[in-house]
Amino acid sequence: MIFLKMTAELFRTIKRVLLISAAGLTASGAAKAADLPVKAKPIEYVRACVLYGAGFYYVPGTDTCIKLGGYLRVDLIANSNSDFDPAANGVAGARNRLSNSYTWRSRESLGIDTRTATEYGVVRTFFQAAFSWTSGGYAGAGAGDAGGATTYTAAVAGGQGTGAIAQGSLGVYSAFIQFAGFTVGKAVSQFSAPWTNYPANEFDDLPGGGGWVTGVNQLTYTADFGQGITATFSAQDQVAYGTTNIWNISGATAAGLATGAYGVNDIGGSRSPDLIAMTRVDQSWGLFQASLAAHDNHAAHYGIDETSGHPGDKWGWAAQLALSLKNIPTGVGDTINLSGAYTAGATRYNFNDLMATTYAMYGGSGVTGAYQSVGLAGLSDSVFVAGAGQELTTTYGFHGGYTHNWDPRWNTGFYGGWAAVRYSRTAKGYICGAFVASLSLSSGVSACNPDFNYGVVGVVTRWTPLKNLTFTVDLAYTMLDQKYASGSTVTLPTQSAIAKPAAVYELKDQSTLTLLLRAQRNW
């Protein structure tokens, strides 16, 4: 009996051991199964996209190609308060102890280019922005401040629509979409030649053709006829750099006239974009381009409120011819770029959007009783007085440049530009009436003439010791040829911002030199 009980207990023990062992083996097998390698998903490496040239890569997981690029640039500009403009107005034009001997700028530009092939053609987007840090200057602190107090003025990129970030600036130069012949967004004006303001130079203030190198909002369609022949039609935003000034002479003041502003700027809100037509022929020898633009001059009001009335709109226009010659006999890669423009009521298409619209340049004088000399001039699209219509301003000019490559590392460019500003007889009557009354022009109305010529000549040399690394020296000579009678004087009021006293000044032609030293690394 005892034996049977012991046998039964032994069987129960063996059964428990077997069950525990089986459970352990099952758990062990499950753990080992979990540790077995699983086939991983393939990694999408970045692949070169050869469809659109060097530097493009596929965005992983898509059929879109992207290219990143840009540059880092450092400029040192001698004899200027801006980059890269002449000492033509403000404290720079005053040529006294408030004027900068140099201005320094550091800039990083970023470009993002994407392309996607579709059944309807390539869809492209392009964005370019520049982050800049520019040294500023000092101006007079204002009337009533004793002891010659001054105030710091932070520099911003002139004519580029930048917003201040601390003492730096951000400029968005391009932001557009291209598809099926259309361009929508911010891009270089279709009126402009491919070299915009720069036929051979780095100097910004070259007249003689359209600019908008920093972009302008537009809706554009380009038809490609093959053999390098294209035609383009564009509606282009005229705010804020498509108009120079619309002067209401009735509001002219002595303080404004002393700076070259012949009235109060009376531009109204936008009513129509500028309308542009352009045709171009691109060949191995170079290119030829013809451009036309229509520009609506929409003034505000005669007086302080809308009950004062207003002049009617008046359309202006501009025309430009441009020619580029390549593969010329003087050397491999040598080029000649030329353009000429004529405008009536559309001055920005001759004096580009980076240029100043008023000029007040000071110098010495040999006239007895004159404190100093001054060259005064101003740009406008039109002028008017209360109760009258707009008088359109006419301009014409040209610019050109020749670049010679000494060898793969050195090249030199010679360039120049010249433009004339001509006011109608009626417009001169409006301006001179205010000018003589406010500034006591010594020679009277008969010798008053607000017309002027503006010219630039320069030379630039570039050294590229390594690929995409260039050092540049650019020297520009700027001339203001004003048309007031020789020996005439004016009596200017105190100008505390530029430390000029109330005194008699001789009206006289002026000139200035500007030097750029630049280091740039493209990537």
Side-chain angles (χ1 to χ4, degrees), residues 452-483:
F452 70 97
N453 301 329
Y454 182 95
V456 179
V457 292
V459 59
V460 56
T461 294
R462 305 174 184 90
W463 175 45
T464 306
L466 301 172
K467 184 179 180 181
N468 295 327
L469 176 64
T470 301
F471 299 93
T472 301
V473 179
D474 191 335
L475 180 65
Y477 177 68
T478 302
M479 301 155 284
L480 177 65
D481 173 22
Q482 52 90 51
K483 298 300 180 182

Side-chain angles (χ1 to χ4, degrees), residues 253-416:
T253 63
L257 291 165
T259 67
Y262 291 138
V264 293
N265 207 356
D266 210 352
I267 301 174
S270 59
R271 288 297 182 271
S272 171
D274 287 3
L275 305 176
I276 295 169
M278 181 270 284
T279 185
R280 192 159 90 197
V281 179
D282 289 272
Q283 302 292 328
S284 60
W285 52 262
L287 68 86
F288 172 78
Q289 178 177 316
S291 307
L292 289 171
H295 173 79
D296 178 33
N297 291 289
H298 179 74
H301 304 101
Y302 289 131
I304 196 169
D305 62 45
E306 61 187 33
T307 63
S308 62
H310 60 82
D313 285 20
K314 201 161 187 178
W315 280 83
W317 62 277
Q320 176 183 268
L321 296 177
L323 175 68
S324 180
L325 299 175
K326 303 176 183 178
N327 304 317
I328 57 181
T330 57
V332 177
D334 289 7
T335 59
I336 296 175
N337 296 321
L338 303 167
S339 75
Y342 186 97
T343 75
T347 300
R348 271 298 182 218
Y349 291 93
N350 188 10
F351 287 79
N352 74 71
D353 56 303
L354 299 184
M355 298 180 67
T357 63
T358 57
Y359 302 92
M361 302 171 66
Y362 288 82
S365 175
V367 172
T368 303
Y371 171 68
Q372 288 179 339
S373 66
V374 63
L376 296 176
L379 295 174
S380 66
D381 285 21
S382 70
V383 303
F384 66 91
V385 294
Q390 298 184 66
E391 293 289 322
L392 299 183
T393 304
T394 298
T395 80
Y396 46 89
F398 63 89
H399 69 223
Y402 163 64
T403 300
H404 173 63
N405 293 277
W406 302 101
D407 60 38
R409 295 184 177 181
W410 289 89
N411 71 58
T412 297
F414 302 92
Y415 62 89

Side-chain angles (χ1 to χ4, degrees), residues 47-123:
R47 296 178 293 126
C49 176
V50 298
L51 296 174
Y52 310 111
F56 280 92
Y57 294 88
Y58 282 101
V59 177
T62 75
D63 57 356
T64 295
C65 298
I66 188 169
K67 181 179 181 179
L68 302 178
Y71 62 80
L72 195 148
R73 173 190 295 171
V74 180
D75 288 352
L76 180 64
I77 306 92
N79 195 35
S80 178
N81 278 61
S82 60
D83 183 349
F84 171 33
D85 305 311
N89 54 23
V91 292
R95 302 182 186 180
N96 56 23
R97 295 185 66 84
L98 295 180
S99 307
N100 281 356
S101 294
Y102 67 87
T103 295
W104 217 318
R105 170 182 288 171
S106 297
R107 166 176 288 175
E108 170 69 26
S109 174
L110 171 65
I112 305 172
D113 193 345
T114 72
R115 316 281 180 96
T116 306
T118 74
E119 59 183 310
Y120 303 104
V122 175
V123 177

